[in-house]
């Protein structure tokens, strides 16, 4: 029972008081910046390509999380948290378009539906995993998404780019 109390007290100390207020303000500020970045993503999606844009967004998301963990100054961590929120929200723009174009026309609707189902399942499992890991280690809740986002962005280099391609 004492281990459970110690684990709970460690997880509560991760976010309380001014840390909680700073975190909420970072998320709010990052969400406000997400709109102009979404416009830029929409403009650049055909110029840079879906693949390059997604790789950039996913890798920058992972690196910004990793830098939040490494930085020991509060203001710098807040800046990277804002960058993370801004970029992560817009990562879906090239991903959804690109994932739809990776499949032949006759399979596209079913494939996108299946990908969305898997994404929703991953979203739910991510929330559960995050909350379970958070109660064990604050550091792990930052490192796991940092590694997964960076790995996902780099692994996307193996997929074809569909920008300007005839996908019929």
């Amino acid at each position: 029972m004492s281990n459970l109390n110690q684990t709970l007290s460690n997880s509560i100390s991760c976010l309380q008081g001014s840390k909680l207020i700073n975190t909420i303000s970072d998320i709010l500020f990052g969400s406000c910046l997400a709109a102009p970045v979404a416009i830029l993503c929409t403009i650049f999606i055909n110029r840079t390509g879906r693949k390059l844009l997604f790789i950039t967004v996913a890798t920058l998301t992972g690196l910004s999380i990793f830098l939040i963990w490494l930085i020991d100054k509060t203001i710098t961590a807040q800046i990277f948290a804002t960058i993370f929120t801004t970029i992560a929200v817009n990562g879906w723009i090239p991903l959804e378009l690109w994932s739809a174009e990776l499949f032949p026309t006759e399979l596209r609707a079913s494939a996108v539906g299946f990908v969305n189902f898997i994404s929703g399942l991953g979203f739910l499992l991510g929330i559960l995993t995050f909350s379970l890991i958070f109660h064990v280690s604050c550091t792990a809740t930052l490192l796991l998404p940092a590694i997964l986002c960076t790995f996902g962005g780099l692994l996307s280099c193996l997929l074809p780019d569909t920008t300007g391609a005839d996908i019929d």
Side-chain angles (χ1 to χ4, degrees):
M1 190 65 166
S2 66
N3 287 340
L4 179 61
N5 289 335
Q6 183 180 7
T7 302
L8 289 175
S9 68
N10 286 343
S11 66
I12 291 170
S13 68
C14 286
L15 287 176
Q16 62 182 356
S18 65
K19 285 184 180 181
L20 180 60
I21 292 169
N22 287 339
T23 302
I24 292 171
S25 64
D26 294 341
I27 292 170
L28 178 65
F29 189 63
S31 297
C32 290
L33 288 176
V37 173
I39 293 168
L40 288 175
C41 280
T42 306
I43 292 170
F44 286 115
I45 200 160
N46 284 326
R47 293 181 186 183
T48 63
R50 292 109 169 88
K51 181 179 179 176
L52 181 61
L53 186 60
F54 177 73
I55 291 169
T56 304
V57 166
T59 307
L60 284 176
T61 301
L63 291 175
S64 64
I65 298 170
F66 188 68
L67 289 172
I68 292 169
W69 178 65
L70 283 178
I71 303 299
D72 60 348
K73 302 222 183 276
T74 304
I75 190 70
T76 311
Q78 288 174 330
I79 290 169
F80 282 114
T82 303
I83 291 170
F84 161 73
T85 304
T86 302
I87 296 172
V89 166
N90 292 298
W92 293 105
I93 295 171
L95 178 63
E96 287 180 357
L97 183 61
W98 188 32
S99 63
E101 292 177 349
L102 287 172
F103 298 98
T105 303
E106 62 272 3
L107 298 175
R108 194 166 298 140
S110 298
V112 169
F114 182 71
V115 167
N116 283 331
F117 170 74
I118 296 298
S119 298
L121 187 61
F123 175 74
L124 291 174
L125 291 174
I127 290 172
L128 291 173
T129 304
F130 183 85
S131 63
L132 291 173
I133 292 173
F134 182 77
H135 289 293
V136 175
S137 169
C138 295
T139 303
T141 57
L142 288 174
L143 286 180
L144 186 61
I147 291 168
L148 291 175
C149 286
T150 305
F151 182 69
L154 296 175
L155 193 61
S156 298
C157 293
L158 302 175
L159 294 171
D161 189 8
T162 60
T163 305
D166 186 11
I167 55 174
D168 287 330

